[in-house]
Amino acid sequence: MSDDGVTRRAAVLGLAAGAMAPALPQFARARQGRDAPDEILIGNVNAYSGPAAVYAVLGKAAEAYFRMVNDRGGVNGRKVRVLSYDDAYSPPKTVEQTRKLVEQDGVLLMYGSLGAPTSTATLRYLDGRKTPHLFIASGATKFGDHRTWPWAMGLQPSYQTEGRAFAAHLKATKPDAKIGILYQNDDFGRDVRQGFRDGLGERVDMIVAEAPYESTDPTVDSQIVKLRASGADTFMNMTTPKFAAQAIRKVAELGWKPTHYLGSNANSIAAVIGPAGKENAVGIISSAYIKDPNDPEWASDPAFAEWRAFYGKYLPEADLKDPLTVYAYVSAQTLEQVLRQCGDDFSRENIMRQAASLRDFRPGLLLPGIVINTAPDDHYPIEQLQLIRFNGESYERFGPVIDSALRK
């Protein structure tokens, strides 16, 4: 697929799709440090087209959130602006767009860029330029490796954490399972697969079949047929939303009834479960660390009232049944906290220092018992999660909050 035309235009979100970005003021192009004048310019790369376009709301919400912040006076006397470009979930395009944001647009930092394979492609470049690469929208474990990548940081629990949690639950509840694994053949899929295998430990022989797929594949139907034929009675669905929905539908079409685990990155009711058919997803086990907007438990939650008011005013087209809108809001709140902690020092060094100095920060849309903490030797902001099960309409939490503690 090609988005050459899209990737060469600056999409300042909030404008009509495909509109050209306005010319940037000269000060926005300059290196922003202690004397940054009026505007903090933030770069973001997201998939507005291609196989991961369901995540487009992450970039749109980031721009909208900081418009809200600006309407409230900005951050420490400065306005904040987000520039977001489309990479169609293609690593070469991610590199191209990131370099454009840093070298031509003069962004102070990169924030919330989507994906493990895509963001991995820019790690060395951004680290070499000592440019903060904050709250990458991926659970890839490497993004918390502060020794190798001191200028990078993810946000959500790592994929390996989730994989180990699934393995622990499976060993405790179905010790004789025969497991079939579907995974995306890239950094994302291999990461969660590795965590799951590590969690199984000596019981890795429970895996009877594995079926990788490429993000450019049209479907995963053949992989599902292979896994069912293997005799597996447990299905590990380690996919992105498009392929997760396909897999759920195909499992149902085949009449296969495995115990079904689904990664949290693809458990959206709006984007995955609904299109796949809610009746086909009953019993699916996943994990969560943010509150589910579809859960009636939170109907009168003040944090959700603020969230609804934000989207109603600044991004009314967003689907509020989609948990990605919650993730995007929590992520933007966390970046705002980092920027406020910077005081008057907006050097890149201080931004990274403050990102690694979050203490018991708890956005209201995190699940109870889950908090954000970072340190110079801990670039894993959220290290806790809870298992959830789909009941046909919404997810129900069960079991204790699991603390991963991946600090290295």
Side-chain angles (χ1 to χ4, degrees), residues 8-82:
R8 286 172 171 78
R9 56 171 75 102
V12 180
L13 295 170
L15 300 180
M20 296 295 289
L24 296 175
Q26 188 61 38
F27 65 73
R29 300 179 189 276
R31 183 183 185 279
Q32 302 178 53
R34 288 180 183 272
D35 57 350
D38 300 320
E39 186 176 64
I40 300 168
L41 192 59
I42 296 170
N44 170 271
V45 179
N46 211 311
Y48 298 102
S49 62
V54 68
Y55 292 107
V57 68
L58 300 183
K60 294 177 181 179
E63 188 276 338
Y65 184 89
F66 284 101
R67 277 195 287 116
M68 177 185 70
V69 168
N70 291 341
D71 287 349
R72 295 176 176 177
V75 174
N76 303 345
R78 294 172 172 85
K79 300 295 185 181
V80 182
R81 188 152 62 99
V82 176

Side-chain angles (χ1 to χ4, degrees), residues 12 20-21 60 116 123 151 161 177 184 211-212 216 225 273 287 300 362:
V12 180
M20 296 295 289
K60 294 177 181 179
L123 275 175
W151 292 85
T161 295
Q184 189 159 294
T216 53
V225 170
I273 303 300
S287 74
S300 58
R362 193 187 183 286

Side-chain angles (χ1 to χ4, degrees), residues 32-193:
Q32 302 178 53
R34 288 180 183 272
D35 57 350
D38 300 320
E39 186 176 64
I40 300 168
L41 192 59
I42 296 170
N44 170 271
V45 179
N46 211 311
Y48 298 102
S49 62
V54 68
Y55 292 107
V57 68
L58 300 183
K60 294 177 181 179
E63 188 276 338
Y65 184 89
F66 284 101
R67 277 195 287 116
M68 177 185 70
V69 168
N70 291 341
D71 287 349
R72 295 176 176 177
V75 174
N76 303 345
R78 294 172 172 85
K79 300 295 185 181
V80 182
R81 188 152 62 99
V82 176
L83 285 177
S84 187
Y85 294 168
D86 184 19
D87 68 355
Y89 202 65
S90 167
K93 291 184 174 67
T94 312
V95 173
E96 176 188 347
Q97 301 292 48
T98 299
R99 291 179 66 100
K100 185 177 188 301
L101 285 161
V102 173
E103 297 173 20
Q104 297 182 35
D105 298 320
V107 299
L108 177 58
L109 69 148
M110 293 295 297
Y111 156 72
S113 293
L114 173 70
T118 45
S119 295
T120 295
T122 65
L123 275 175
R124 191 173 302 279
Y125 168 75
L126 291 170
D127 200 73
R129 297 186 70 97
K130 297 185 177 181
T131 299
H133 194 190
L134 295 183
F135 310 141
I136 299 164
S138 165
T141 307
K142 70 178 69 177
F143 298 140
D145 182 358
H146 68 279
R147 291 190 178 91
T148 306
W149 308 113
W151 292 85
M153 186 178 291
L155 179 66
Q156 68 198 70
S158 78
Y159 296 136
Q160 289 195 23
T161 295
E162 184 174 46
R164 287 200 299 271
F166 288 163
H169 179 261
L170 183 58
K171 287 196 296 183
T173 60
K174 196 174 181 179
D176 58 348
K178 297 177 181 179
I179 306 164
I181 300 176
L182 174 69
Y183 69 96
Q184 189 159 294
N185 190 28
D186 60 14
D187 287 340
F188 150 62
R190 289 189 292 268
D191 205 26
V192 67
R193 170 178 172 266

Side-chain angles (χ1 to χ4, degrees), residues 172-399:
T173 60
K174 196 174 181 179
D176 58 348
K178 297 177 181 179
I179 306 164
I181 300 176
L182 174 69
Y183 69 96
Q184 189 159 294
N185 190 28
D186 60 14
D187 287 340
F188 150 62
R190 289 189 292 268
D191 205 26
V192 67
R193 170 178 172 266
Q194 186 61 52
F196 181 68
R197 292 177 68 93
D198 289 347
L200 289 177
E202 295 180 354
R203 296 305 319 279
V204 72
D205 60 345
M206 294 165 72
I207 299 172
V208 297
E210 296 184 337
Y213 72 91
E214 304 297 329
S215 63
T216 53
D217 288 349
T219 75
V220 290
D221 286 1
S222 62
Q223 286 90 339
I224 299 301
V225 170
K226 171 188 173 181
L227 293 175
R228 180 180 185 247
S230 72
D233 58 16
T234 301
F235 176 37
M236 298 298 302
N237 189 348
M238 303 172 179
T239 56
T240 51
K242 169 187 171 182
F243 298 105
Q246 290 181 0
I248 294 168
R249 283 197 302 268
K250 191 63 178 179
V251 165
E253 288 174 8
L254 294 174
W256 189 22
K257 303 289 185 181
T259 301
H260 191 156
Y261 292 83
L262 176 65
S264 62
N265 65 296
N267 67 12
S268 167
I269 293 175
V272 176
I273 303 300
K278 290 182 179 180
E279 69 282 2
N280 298 327
V282 174
I284 282 180
I285 297 169
S286 189
S287 74
Y289 51 94
I290 56 176
K291 295 174 181 176
D292 183 352
N294 303 284
D295 189 339
E297 178 180 358
W298 312 119
S300 58
D301 187 340
F304 267 118
E306 295 177 6
W307 167 84
R308 282 189 291 269
F310 158 70
Y311 278 104
K313 181 175 181 179
Y314 290 94
L315 197 63
E317 66 271 26
D319 180 358
L320 297 191
K321 294 181 180 179
D322 186 353
L324 289 173
T325 61
V326 179
Y327 172 87
Y329 191 77
V330 169
S331 179
Q333 284 182 306
T334 308
L335 179 61
E336 180 188 4
Q337 177 66 20
V338 169
L339 296 177
R340 292 196 183 281
Q341 288 182 194
C342 286
D344 290 327
D345 182 358
F346 282 95
S347 63
R348 286 171 169 169
E349 292 78 9
N350 191 45
I351 289 172
M352 203 68 222
R353 188 179 306 119
Q354 298 308 319
S357 302
L358 293 167
R359 296 287 183 271
D360 295 325
F361 179 58
R362 193 187 183 286
L365 293 178
L366 291 179
L367 285 175
I370 296 179
V371 296
I372 293 175
N373 281 293
T374 58
D377 63 348
D378 179 9
H379 282 201
Y380 295 102
I382 302 176
E383 298 183 272
Q384 301 156 302
L385 54 79
Q386 190 169 19
L387 294 182
I388 57 177
R389 182 182 286 110
F390 188 67
N391 64 15
E393 289 297 330
S394 63
Y395 286 103
E396 297 175 342
R397 291 177 287 137
F398 66 94

